[in-house]
């Protein structure tokens, strides 16, 4: 389910029916993520980006190909974008789980200048163990195969008009926007809220509004207002729980710091993101491309696949 690629090996001397089934599955995989996303070590060869905090440049393709173990690479969006903020929040929360699954290197590309990348990482308390790379033009994401959004080559429309279409109706390049947004308001009985609560806590401790959802004692959560939601308090994600985090992100982070976090290249305003996990030698173990605003990878599902 979702934009997932798993490496498969071809088996020779298969019966005709099994061979036909394998061919159908191969076609299905190709339709889920672009071929470039299923071969990240090749598609990102020659993409050299600077470390946001200094320390030289890295060729992303070479870094993946030289991986001795498992490596996570997030191809993010611009710093003030919903998807970029949620990628950072999820990586921050799930980093220990990734380590437990053998992911020893975590790399994250942000479509902004180094100062903006560092600003966002500081606001969200991103661990120093996550390597941050600045890509103001978004070239790495396009090489990987992320969606460029609504009518990316139509110069007659402003980037903000394209973003409006993506945000209100989804449309080509962002069809999953509405479902991803609605989950925030209507909740999800089988969803997982650990990253949501942890991110709300980080925001409250940093003084971001809304700041009364969680009751904290010595920096730890002792009560959550959504635990008292009538009828649905036992749901994995309660109605308005995720929407409250997104409101906190929007008002007290994205809008407040827009001047420092806005995109340097207008193409990045509508460009979505993605991520990949590779194994030894750059073998692709998992790849994902965002299908809309707020539609980022489910880290729980990714971890299960590893």
């Amino acid at each position: 389910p979702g934009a997932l690629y798993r490496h498969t090996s071809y088996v020779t001397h298969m019966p005709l029916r099994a061979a036909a089934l394998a061919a159908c599955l191969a076609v299905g995989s190709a339709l889920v993520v672009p071929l470039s996303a299923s071969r990240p070590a090749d598609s990102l060869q020659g993409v050299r980006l600077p470390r946001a905090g200094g320390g030289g440049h890295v060729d992303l393709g070479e870094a993946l190909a030289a991986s001795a173990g498992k490596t996570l690479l997030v191809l993010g969006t611009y710093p003030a974008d919903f998807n970029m903020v949620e990628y950072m929040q999820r990586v921050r929360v799930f980093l220990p789980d990734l380590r437990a699954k053998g992911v020893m290197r975590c790399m994250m590309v942000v479509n902004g200048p180094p100062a903006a990348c560092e600003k966002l990482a500081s606001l969200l308390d991103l661990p120093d163990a996550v390597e941050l790379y600045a890509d103001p033009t978004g070239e790495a994401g396009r090489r990987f195969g992320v969606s460029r959004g609504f009518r990316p080559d139509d110069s007659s429309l402003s980037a903000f008009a394209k973003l409006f279409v993506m945000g209100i109706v989804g449309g080509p390049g962002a069809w999953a926007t509405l479902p991803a947004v609605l989950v925030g308001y209507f909740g999800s009985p089988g969803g997982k809220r650990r990253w949501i609560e942890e991110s709300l806590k980080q925001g409250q401790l940093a003084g971001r509004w809304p700041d009364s959802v969680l009751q904290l004692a010595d920096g730890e959560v002792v009560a959550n207002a959504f635990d008292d939601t009538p009828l649905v308090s036992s749901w994995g994600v309660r109605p308005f729980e995720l929407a409250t985090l997104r409101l906190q992100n929007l008002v007290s982070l994205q809008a407040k710091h827009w001047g420092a976090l806005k995109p340097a290249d207008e193409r990045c305003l509508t460009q979505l993101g993605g991520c990949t996990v590779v194994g030894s030698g750059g073998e692709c173990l998992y790849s994902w491309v965002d299908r809309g605003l707020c539609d980022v990878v489910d880290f729980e599902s990714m971890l299960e696949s590893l």
Side-chain angles (χ1 to χ4, degrees):
L4 169 65
Y5 168 85
R6 287 191 178 92
H7 178 76
T8 57
S9 59
Y10 294 98
V11 180
T12 59
H13 307 298
M14 299 173 65
L16 183 59
R17 182 177 297 179
L21 176 59
C24 290
L25 292 174
V27 171
S29 295
L31 293 175
V32 172
V33 294
L35 181 60
S36 53
S38 69
R39 302 175 60 186
D42 293 332
S43 61
L44 293 171
Q45 282 287 337
V47 179
R48 288 178 52 82
L49 298 179
R51 286 287 295 263
H57 290 66
V58 168
D59 184 306
L60 297 182
E62 289 183 1
L64 295 181
S67 180
K70 295 176 184 174
T71 297
L72 167 69
L73 172 64
V74 173
L75 286 305
T77 55
Y78 69 93
D81 183 52
F82 278 105
N83 292 34
M84 188 69 254
V85 172
E86 291 192 16
Y87 265 119
M88 277 202 183
Q89 289 175 324
R90 295 182 195 225
V91 167
R92 175 180 175 272
V93 172
F94 287 106
L95 189 59
D97 303 78
L98 289 164
R99 291 280 191 260
K101 283 288 188 174
V103 179
M104 294 294 105
R105 186 178 187 183
C106 292
M107 307 167 69
M108 180 174 289
V109 175
V110 181
N111 294 344
C117 302
E118 290 191 284
K119 174 75 171 178
L120 183 61
S122 175
L123 288 168
L124 295 177
D125 292 335
L126 188 71
D128 291 337
V130 180
E131 301 174 24
L132 207 57
Y133 296 91
D135 185 14
T137 68
E139 176 63 20
R142 291 191 293 275
R143 289 276 294 273
F144 181 72
V146 304
S147 170
R148 296 167 60 205
F150 179 69
R151 300 180 68 85
D153 298 316
D154 187 348
S155 59
S156 67
L157 287 176
S158 74
F160 283 97
K162 297 173 185 179
L163 184 63
F164 176 80
V165 172
M166 292 172 63
I168 299 301
V169 299
W175 64 267
T177 294
L178 188 58
V181 170
L182 289 180
V183 168
Y185 294 101
F186 291 100
S188 173
K192 304 293 179 63
R193 64 175 176 269
R194 177 164 69 99
W195 79 271
I196 301 172
E197 187 171 272
E198 284 295 321
S199 298
L200 279 168
K201 182 179 80 170
Q202 190 272 331
Q204 282 192 206
L205 291 173
R208 294 198 290 272
W209 181 90
D211 56 4
S212 58
V213 175
L214 305 177
Q215 181 181 337
L216 304 176
D218 298 323
E220 297 301 321
V221 178
V222 295
N224 183 328
F226 289 99
D227 291 341
D228 299 324
T229 306
L231 303 179
V232 295
S233 62
S234 63
W235 282 17
V237 178
R238 284 70 66 93
F240 291 97
E241 192 164 17
L242 178 53
T244 300
L245 172 61
R246 287 172 174 165
L247 177 63
Q248 186 186 81
N249 290 341
L250 176 63
V251 173
S252 300
L253 196 155
Q254 296 161 260
K256 182 178 180 180
H257 299 282
W258 174 257
L261 302 178
K262 64 184 179 182
D265 187 318
E266 71 170 16
R267 291 176 297 177
C268 295
L269 192 66
T270 57
Q271 183 169 309
L272 300 178
C275 70
T276 188
V277 178
V278 303
S280 180
E283 176 191 14
C284 184
L285 304 177
Y286 184 103
S287 275
W288 163 277
V289 289
D290 300 349
R291 303 160 299 179
L293 305 181
C294 298
D295 179 60
V296 304
V297 69
D298 181 338
F299 273 74
E300 299 274 3
S301 296
M302 179 175 69
L303 286 163
E304 288 177 7
S305 77
L306 300 178

